[in-house]
Amino acid sequence: MMFPMVLLRLVDLVLYQLLANSYYRAARKMKSYGFNLAYLSSKPPHQPCSFPSITKCDLQGRMSQTLVCDIHRVLLKSKSFFPFFMLIAFEGGSIFRAFLLLMSCPLLMICDYEFKLKIMTFITFCGLKIKDMENVSRAVLPKFYLENLNVKVYEVLASTGSKVVITSIPRVMVEGFLKEYLSVGHVIGTELHTVGCYFTGFLTSSGLVVKHRALKDYFGDRKPHIGIGTSSLHDHLFISSCKEAYVVNNEDNKNSTQNSIMPRDKYPKPIIFHDGRLAFLPTPSATLYMFMWLPFGIFLAIYRILLGIFLPYKLALELGVLSGIDLNIKGTVPIKTEQNRGVLFVCTHRTLLDPVFLSTTLSKPLTAVTYSLSKVSEFIAPIKTVRLTRNRKQDGETMQKLLKEGDLVVCPEGTTCREPYLLRFSSLFAELADEIVPVAMNTHVSMFYGTTASGLKCLDPIFFLMNPKPSYHIQILGKVPKELTCAGGKSSAEVANYIQKQLGDALGFQCTNLTRRDKYMMLAGNEGIVQQVISKKCS
């Protein structure tokens, strides 16, 4: 009897001390914040502003000066850093880690700024590989950071010669972007504890960075020329140590259309390649909607795949449109003039489904050539697919044989690109046929990207078809005149460049000399060639 009684007393003590006291503190917090759901934005208490607005800062003659600022709510317009933690949890971790972070939102609402940051850091980074964080930092986060840049703050930052960012956000989350895209010379941020190749989720012994102390430690008795912060008390202490101090006010953000995305032509550096599955900024509400949609999305993707596999072209097309797929089709197929030889369709490459949608649109069987299509994608493809070897002579012979059997689809970029750019076209296709029909293809998604460089490529079609309303733009251009083909005396490179420009003009895309290798080296650190995976520790 003694042991059960002791156990009951122990349970009673734990429940009282841990739960009752925690609920009492939580209730006091909720009362003090007035059930303000916006407190999830991780902003310190507001203080009356005694510094001028950033809009008052003169940009002239700043190149010899030093600027210090934060990235949270200063360089970025977003009030909360939660979406960027969610991007790391989802893209670098797993869907289960992302769900756990989402479930922590009620707790985050009643925590103060420091504890909130520690909770998000622990959930996001505990057990996460350092390499995975580096991949997300390089390939995923920059796109979302650029879209959230505060234009006015960036203009001031760009006008100065020396730039230092001091932030309580973990340094690994922001340093790569700040140095690569904004030319920031030094980044001081919260350091994370690691064991081997993994993060533990805890901070190092130095704890969260206190900005005004970090500024004093870094500059000593020197004063930076310009300091930019928010109207919080912590930032007042921070920027008051600078010769000139400016703040980013909520009113300024409203006047500058805070919810708008920074125009692409104002990016400090073009972003051509990026990775990750999420096509939206995962705020708490947007992430909740995504998880609610997932079961329906998976069912819808399977339904759409089965339509293409088992039903005739016209019926599959009609039912696919009824399921939410938005198809925009322009142009008609030119009349074939050569007998016993198929037409060569040359397409821009947006997803693995390009040949499938073209075949369904034309209501005729096509053959697609690929380099590294997964077995799953080959199995569910409703059209014939043939693998190439990257041996120019052998691939040329294979494609010649296929053209004698029927129409052929090629994507000479060799890999997909999400942004409005066209990669360099391989010239091999120009040597194989005189009847060449360019096809301009573009896609739009609202929830998931249907391409990946470092993830599971076998899931690419499924993720694309999981979108509530994925769209495909297909524009069939006129047949390339014979005098502009190799039969008319043009070199294969000239033909490839001509067709690339023709397709770029039709879509409003910019032509580049970048290749498949450039994409994969940037996003995945490899050349994009599927090889047998060898298990390595910390790989």
Side-chain angles (χ1 to χ4, degrees):
M1 281 296 291
M2 192 67 178
F3 178 72
M5 291 300 298
V6 172
L7 183 61
L8 286 174
R9 291 291 300 273
L10 181 61
V11 171
D12 179 69
L13 180 65
V14 170
L15 288 175
Y16 174 77
Q17 293 292 336
L18 182 61
L19 297 180
N21 286 343
S22 296
Y23 288 150
Y24 174 72
R25 289 195 297 271
R28 288 177 62 91
K29 289 259 187 186
M30 293 294 284
K31 181 179 179 180
S32 64
Y33 293 125
F35 293 91
N36 182 12
L37 299 182
Y39 190 68
L40 188 58
S41 63
S42 306
K43 57 182 179 181
H46 177 79
Q47 297 293 326
C49 183
S50 58
F51 297 104
S53 167
I54 186 62
T55 58
K56 308 295 184 183
C57 182
D58 184 13
L59 304 182
Q60 300 299 319
R62 299 289 192 180
M63 285 308 296
S64 61
Q65 297 184 354
T66 300
L67 177 144
V68 294
C69 67
D70 195 350
I71 187 171
H72 181 209
R73 300 179 62 234
V74 179
L75 270 172
L76 299 183
K77 295 179 295 183
S78 178
K79 292 182 179 180
S80 171
F81 224 79
F82 175 91
F84 305 103
F85 279 97
M86 178 58 72
L87 284 168
I88 297 171
F90 188 93
E91 307 288 7
S94 66
I95 192 171
F96 303 106
R97 186 188 294 268
F99 184 75
L100 182 60
L101 182 59
L102 177 65
M103 291 298 98
S104 71
C105 285
L107 177 61
L108 298 178
M109 290 166 55
I110 60 175
C111 295
D112 59 28
Y113 174 75
E114 291 188 6
F115 194 51
K116 185 183 310 180
L117 198 55
K118 290 178 180 178
I119 292 175
M120 289 193 294
T121 300
F122 180 79
I123 296 175
T124 302
F125 287 94
C126 181
L128 187 70
K129 287 184 178 180
I130 296 176
K131 181 181 178 182
D132 291 338
M133 176 61 229
E134 291 173 349
N135 289 339
V136 174
S137 176
R138 179 181 65 251
V140 177
L141 292 176
K143 171 186 179 292
F144 294 93
Y145 286 151
L146 285 173
E147 290 178 349
N148 276 270
L149 271 183
N150 185 312
V151 178
K152 183 59 183 176
V153 177
Y154 168 68
E155 289 175 349
V156 177
L157 182 84
S159 69
T160 59
S162 178
K163 310 166 183 62
V164 178
V165 171
I166 302 176
T167 181
S168 54
I169 300 300
R171 179 181 55 82
V172 294
M173 293 180 64
V174 298
E175 184 176 38
F177 167 74
L178 291 171
K179 290 188 174 182
E180 177 71 18
Y181 287 86
L182 303 188
S183 301
V184 173
H186 194 74
V187 179
I188 302 172
T190 298
E191 299 294 339
L192 302 183
H193 184 259
T194 60
V195 174
C197 301
Y198 295 87
F199 293 101
T200 63
F202 296 105
L203 312 183
T204 58
S205 57
S206 56
L208 286 176
V209 165
V210 180
K211 288 186 283 188
H212 66 276
R213 294 177 187 171
L215 185 145
K216 185 68 176 177
D217 292 341
Y218 183 77
F219 287 97
D221 295 332
R222 295 182 298 118
K223 282 191 173 184
H225 297 89
I226 307 172
I228 307 176
T230 65
S231 54
S232 70
L233 175 61
H234 299 306
D235 278 14
H236 279 208
L237 293 173
F238 170 52
I239 61 179
S240 62
S241 300
C242 304
K243 295 179 181 179
E244 297 179 52
Y246 301 92
V247 295
V248 178
N249 296 316
N250 290 332
E251 291 76 14
D252 297 331
N253 286 333
K254 291 178 182 178
N255 293 335
S256 62
T257 61
Q258 178 179 348
N259 293 325
S260 64
I261 294 177
M262 184 174 184
R264 185 178 299 275
D265 59 355
K266 292 188 177 181
Y267 283 2
K269 179 180 178 181
I271 183 162
I272 300 176
F273 301 126
H274 61 87
D275 207 12
R277 291 295 189 186
L278 297 183
F280 63 97
L281 185 68
T283 60
S285 58
T287 307
L288 177 61
Y289 297 150
M290 180 200 71
F291 276 103
M292 293 172 63
W293 171 257
L294 271 179
F296 301 100
I298 294 172
F299 171 80
L300 190 58
I302 296 173
Y303 170 73
R304 288 166 172 170
I305 290 172
L306 294 178
L307 290 181
I309 294 176
F310 294 109
L311 296 183
Y313 294 116
K314 290 186 178 180
L315 184 57
L317 191 63
E318 291 176 1
L319 293 178
V321 171
L322 288 176
S323 74
I325 298 176
D326 181 21
L327 278 175
N328 183 8
I329 305 168
K330 295 182 180 179
T332 57
V333 180
I335 299 174
K336 184 168 66 172
T337 58
E338 292 189 21
Q339 299 298 324
N340 302 321
R341 192 169 180 82
V343 174
L344 182 63
F345 293 94
V346 179
C347 302
T348 54
H349 202 7
R350 311 312 283 178
T351 77
L352 294 178
L353 295 171
D354 295 336
V356 175
F357 273 93
L358 180 60
S359 177
T360 305
T361 300
L362 299 178
S363 297
K364 61 187 302 185
L366 301 175
T367 300
V369 290
T370 66
Y371 284 110
S372 55
L373 195 65
S374 69
K375 294 291 186 182
V376 175
S377 299
E378 283 184 332
F379 177 75
I380 65 177
I383 64 174
K384 181 181 178 180
T385 60
V386 177
R387 286 175 176 263
L388 299 180
T389 63
R390 297 193 184 278
N391 180 298
R392 189 178 181 86
K393 181 180 179 181
Q394 185 175 343
D395 291 343
E397 293 173 353
T398 300
M399 294 167 70
Q400 285 280 18
K401 180 180 177 181
L402 293 173
L403 278 170
K404 292 178 181 179
E405 298 174 357
D407 296 340
L408 184 65
V409 182
V410 298
C411 299
E413 290 175 275
T415 187
T416 56
C417 183
R418 298 173 177 177
E419 297 302 309
Y421 299 93
L422 292 184
L423 307 187
R424 189 178 72 194
F425 277 25
S426 168
S427 61
L428 176 60
F429 74 90
E431 304 171 4
L432 305 176
D434 299 329
E435 285 200 274
I436 302 175
V437 178
V439 181
M441 309 193 80
N442 195 17
T443 61
H444 176 75
V445 295
S446 58
M447 190 172 290
F448 302 110
Y449 284 116
T451 61
T452 183
S454 56
L456 293 175
K457 296 188 72 63
C458 62
L459 298 179
D460 285 359
I462 296 174
F463 268 104
F464 179 83
L465 295 173
M466 280 172 58
N467 283 284
K469 196 175 178 65
S471 69
Y472 244 99
H473 167 85
I474 303 174
Q475 183 177 356
I476 303 172
L477 307 183
K479 188 188 302 183
V480 178
K482 190 171 183 179
E483 60 270 19
L484 295 177
T485 66
C486 292
K490 298 293 184 180
S491 68
S492 59
E494 288 176 324
V495 176
N497 292 338
Y498 168 77
I499 294 178
Q500 182 197 38
K501 186 178 186 307
Q502 191 180 23
L503 291 171
D505 292 342
L507 293 169
F509 288 2
Q510 182 178 339
C511 297
T512 73
N513 282 320
L514 298 172
T515 65
R516 172 193 177 92
R517 184 178 184 276
D518 295 322
K519 170 186 171 179
Y520 279 88
M521 288 300 295
M522 186 271 176
L523 297 182
N526 58 62
E527 297 187 10
I529 299 175
V530 178
Q531 297 177 339
Q532 185 178 357
V533 178
I534 301 176
S535 178
K536 291 183 180 180
K537 187 178 180 181
C538 299
S539 59

